[in-house]
């Protein structure tokens, strides 16, 4: 199933917030991403319907195995590209913005080849 860039961003944010604060609610996502609570609610409804998240009786949002797989993939790419761009001399703000764009469009094959190539150069 193809997942949209905005959904990937939400899943990545849920992953990062879970690691940072533990239990995550819609308001935490809203604050982190700078989106209106109503927009986040719609996105959470969509992610629930696609099976990427579950929401418990206390309103805490958890990634399903499918959601975690997507979030892990996007977050790995984000960390990889942002650190690589910074190491090339790109200022941090630009590197983070560019990494956010690149992480969504690069194929698995190209990303794997880049990681392998850079790892072989560093060893």
């Amino acid at each position: 199933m193809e997942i949209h860039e905005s959904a990937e961003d939400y899943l990545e944010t849920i992953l990062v917030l879970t690691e940072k604060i533990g239990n995550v609610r819609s308001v935490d996502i809203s604050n982190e991403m700078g989106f209106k609570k109503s927009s986040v609610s719609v996105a959470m409804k969509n992610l629930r319907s696609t099976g990427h998240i579950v929401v418990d009786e206390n309103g805490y949002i958890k990634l399903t195995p499918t959601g975690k797989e997507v979030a892990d993939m996007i977050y790995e790419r984000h960390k990889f590209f942002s650190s690589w761009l910074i190491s090339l001399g790109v200022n941090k703000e630009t590197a983070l913005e560019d990494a956010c764009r690149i992480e969504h469009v690069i194929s698995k094959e190209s990303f794997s080849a880049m990681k392998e190539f850079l790892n072989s150069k560093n060893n």
Side-chain angles (χ1 to χ4, degrees), residues 26-115:
S26 289
V27 67
D28 303 313
I29 298 166
S30 175
N31 292 337
E32 182 72 17
M33 297 181 84
F35 295 160
K36 292 179 182 177
K37 292 177 193 168
S38 58
S39 298
V40 173
S41 288
V42 170
M44 294 306 103
K45 180 181 176 191
N46 291 336
L47 290 172
R48 269 195 321 270
S49 71
T50 59
H52 288 94
I53 64 166
V54 293
V55 181
D56 70 16
E57 65 279 355
N58 297 311
Y60 294 121
I61 299 164
K62 307 280 186 213
L63 295 168
T64 64
T66 304
K68 184 156 181 3
E69 183 180 335
V70 173
D72 285 340
M73 175 193 69
I74 294 298
Y75 191 48
E76 176 190 18
R77 292 174 178 195
H78 183 85
K79 292 186 297 185
F80 174 85
F81 286 115
S82 59
S83 65
W84 182 47
L85 291 168
I86 290 168
S87 75
L88 294 173
V90 176
N91 78 60
K92 186 177 180 178
E93 185 178 321
T94 302
L96 292 172
E97 290 173 6
D98 287 346
C100 197
R101 286 188 208 82
I102 297 167
E103 69 194 26
H104 298 288
V105 296
I106 192 165
S107 70
K108 286 181 183 182
E109 180 182 1
S110 293
F111 181 65
S112 292
M114 290 177 78
K115 275 192 342 185

